[in-house]
């Protein structure tokens, strides 16, 4: 599935994010689409020198492409 640039990209300080996967989630309220992204984490590199990644999940209902008023909620885990 193509995800247009800046439609549901996570807004982080990372220079880029990578779309990893999408899946349809049928519910009694309708079909939602989940999108998973990864971006470089803003933490110290791992002992092996690897750059840790953060994963972001967007749960989308309907077509949000090109919309100017899209309800969004954001939470952060520690």
């Amino acid at each position: 599935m193509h995800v247009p640039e800046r439609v549901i990209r996570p807004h982080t300080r990372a220079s880029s994010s990578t779309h990893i996967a999408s899946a349809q989630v049928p519910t009694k309220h309708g079909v939602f689409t989940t999108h998973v992204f990864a971006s470089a984490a803003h933490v110290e590199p791992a002992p092996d020198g690897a750059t840790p990644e953060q994963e972001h999940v967007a749960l989308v209902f309907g077509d949000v492409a090109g919309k100017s008023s899209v309800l969004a909620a954001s939470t952060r885990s520690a």
Side-chain angles (χ1 to χ4, degrees), residues 24-33 60-62:
Q24 300 293 311
V25 181
T27 72
K28 68 179 183 179
H29 303 288
V31 178
F32 288 77
T33 304
V60 180
F61 185 78

Side-chain angles (χ1 to χ4, degrees), residues 1-43:
M1 166 181 232
H2 171 70
V3 180
E5 191 66 32
R6 304 301 295 171
V7 171
I8 57 171
R9 298 275 186 230
H11 295 272
T12 66
R13 285 177 256 154
S15 60
S16 67
S17 61
T18 303
H19 183 256
I20 297 173
S22 295
Q24 300 293 311
V25 181
T27 72
K28 68 179 183 179
H29 303 288
V31 178
F32 288 77
T33 304
T34 59
H35 299 279
V36 180
F37 300 89
S39 63
H42 300 287
V43 296

Side-chain angles (χ1 to χ4, degrees), residues 14-16 38-55:
S15 60
S16 67
S39 63
H42 300 287
V43 296
E44 294 295 321
D48 64 0
T51 302
E53 289 189 338
Q54 288 181 331
E55 292 179 340

